Amino acid sequence: MQIYLPIAEMPVSVLVLIGLGAAVGFVSGLFGIGGGFLMTPILIVMGIPPAVAVATQTAPIVASSATSVLAAFRRNALDLRLGVVLVLGGFVGTSLGVWFFAAMRRAGQLDLVITVAYVTLFTVVGGLMLAESVRSTWARHRGRPRPPRLGGDHAAYMAWPLRMRFPRSRLYASVIPILGLALFVGFVGAVLGIGGGFILVPALLYLMRVPTGVVVGTSQFQILCTSFVALVLHAVQNQAVDIVLAVILIVGGVFGAQFGARAGRNLRSEYFRFLLAILVLAVGLRFAVELMLRPEEPFSIVVQETR
Amino acid sequence: MRVRLAVILGFLAVILGFLAISPASAESLVVSLSFNRLAVTSTYTGTSVAVFGAIERDGQAGARSGGYDVVVTIRGPRQALTVREKAAMGPVWINRAQQKFAEVPSFLAVLSSRPLSEIADEATRRRLRLGLKAIVAAPDMTLAAPAPDDPFREALLRLRRRERLFTESEAGVRFLSPSVFRSTAPLPATAPVGAYDVEVLLLAGGVPLARHEARFDLVKSGVEQSLATFAREWSLAYGLAVGALALISGWLASVIFRRD
């Protein structure tokens, strides 16, 4: 079944897109990430103009993260206080990222910056996560499970000034590293056109030692706020949000996210970290391969304007 | 003196003879398209446009020994674009060289009654912009200095042909009678909405005899048109509406899937 997209100006297969939305929604619900870093490249491969793909994929993220936030809220698995601090830092980072994006585009090296950023970020984050999860699985198998949480285990930066209490996360920490993290995530997200959940989740887990149960809900809250703002900004600035495409992706995404979230609850913590690490690492390696291999077609066309 | 007179007379004879078979006056073209305006709706998956034509001859025109040739060129809305080339820099491949093109048709179909190489020689093809190669090689396509075998022009042609946006059909024009022809060009769904120019050129023995230009429009209509207009003119409201839609869907899903 084909339907014509009014903004992208091309027909697409509805069933394929619903399936795609469901698959990405599942991953998103499972790990508490937005899934934009999976959705955007796939849409572009399907022939949807990159501007429309980047702008429109924020809509299913808003929908699926809204579902996750509501579910987390009911289960009391959301640290609203931590979420608000993250959102505030994130907005500053997003503005900086948008400015940097424009500057690199003027310099003509945006493509390179994006690809290199994908490769380094994804392989480093993915690699670190994989190493950690393998280590903890190994320790458990040897019968010496590492204590899940240590009171005195906090890093030094948690004791910086401006300390704030986050009772739900059992955290009493300085807001400076938290704001810094949110700023970085917002910055990277704006430059790469992604929500940044894949950085936020491991950072909250490992750097902030936020309990796993709270991480997903809180990260989804931050993603909901950022992607809503991004959606409206894209609609106003680039007029690249395709409402028909958005509806199709939402329908697939919300269903997928439900099953993903349910599967996530039944997943053991180590497996959860292991799978997320593999996913992030795989995306990073894919970009690395693309960067290193001799391209089959060295030429590409970028349309600036249609009259 | 005598020799000079003979030369002048000879010249005059040639000019008079040339005027007698003057291409403009002998034949003219009547062309009609299967539509002038096509509405793109939600079920649009591409279409095809048919070009009908008749050759009208006034009494003075002698019979053309080789018969007529017709070339139909359809050009879609113009695009400004950049072609980039990846090159190895150390271990990685990145975009290095690039060339900007100012006015490239987003869609290009060249249909002819015979292979173009049989219709006219290369110089004529280049002068009249007959065929994809000649159109892409035209000097006004890009600001870069014209070079033989420009790799960027070749890449543009190759990539667009692969997407079926540039097509060339050497049997795309069929003569139904010696003076009536018809031609059908498929328009893929990826061809953008906008104004399309149709140029019909009549040739005989490699010489252009008549030219006719027509145009048709591909326009969004109904819901698609309203949505596109709304997105353009009320962009903030549109963005907020899509956001609200997403939030409501998320909430609905959480209600539907609520376990307790």
Side-chain angles (χ1 to χ4, degrees), chain B residues 64-85:
Chain B
R64 306 283 174 188
S65 58
Y68 292 115
D69 291 310
V70 171
V71 181
V72 177
T73 308
I74 303 175
R75 293 176 171 88
R78 307 297 191 269
Q79 287 177 330
L81 50 83
T82 307
V83 179
R84 297 208 171 101
E85 184 186 13

Side-chain angles (χ1 to χ4, degrees), chain A residues 132 134-150 268 270 273:
Chain A
E132 202 282 338
V134 167
R135 238 189 344 258
S136 71
T137 312
W138 187 246
R140 172 186 284 264
H141 272 280
R142 297 239 304 253
R144 285 191 286 109
R146 299 202 302 179
R149 232 182 115 74
L150 283 175
R268 277 235 310 274
E270 296 96 285
R273 296 176 191 184

Side-chain angles (χ1 to χ4, degrees), chain A residues 2-7 9-11 58-60 62-64 66-67 70-71 74-75 108-109 111-112 224 228 231-232 235-237 239 241-244 246-247 250 254-255 258-259 262 265 290-295 297-307, chain B residues 40-45 77-86 91-95 100 102-103 151-152 155-156 158-160 162 189-190 192-193 220 224 227-228 231-232 235-236 238-240 242-247 249-251 253-255 257-260:
Chain A
Q2 300 262 312
I3 190 163
Y4 188 83
L5 302 177
I7 309 291
E9 300 189 340
M10 59 176 291
T58 52
V62 168
S64 62
T67 312
L70 288 170
R74 280 197 209 102
R75 285 184 290 111
Q109 286 303 337
D111 284 1
L112 182 65
L224 173 63
F228 189 89
L231 173 63
V232 175
V236 171
Q237 275 189 336
Q239 282 148 27
V241 176
D242 195 305
I243 190 168
V244 176
V247 168
I250 287 171
V254 289
F255 282 91
Q258 286 304 315
F259 294 108
R262 220 160 281 184
R265 254 169 266 153
E290 191 182 277
L291 199 61
M292 313 277 257
L293 280 189
R294 167 184 285 273
E297 170 61 80
F299 290 92
S300 59
I301 299 178
V302 183
V303 176
Q304 267 92 34
E305 187 190 358
T306 301
R307 279 183 286 269
Chain B
V40 171
T41 57
S42 60
T43 51
Y44 179 74
T45 53
R78 307 297 191 269
Q79 287 177 330
L81 50 83
T82 307
V83 179
R84 297 208 171 101
E85 184 186 13
K86 278 199 169 75
V92 297
W93 287 80
I94 61 172
N95 283 326
K100 286 187 191 302
E103 293 231 317
F152 291 96
L156 174 68
R158 185 172 63 244
L159 290 167
R160 285 292 189 242
R162 202 177 295 160
T190 42
V193 293
K220 285 184 228 176
E224 281 67 33
L227 283 176
R232 199 172 53 242
S235 53
L236 180 63
Y238 177 82
L240 289 173
V242 178
L245 191 78
L247 284 177
S249 324
W251 171 74
S254 83
V255 169
F257 289 98
R258 198 168 175 169
R259 281 203 302 183
D260 35 79

Side-chain angles (χ1 to χ4, degrees), chain A residues 78-91:
Chain A
L78 163 65
D79 189 337
L80 207 56
R81 216 167 169 186
L82 181 60
V84 168
V85 173
L86 286 173
V87 166
L88 289 179
F91 284 157

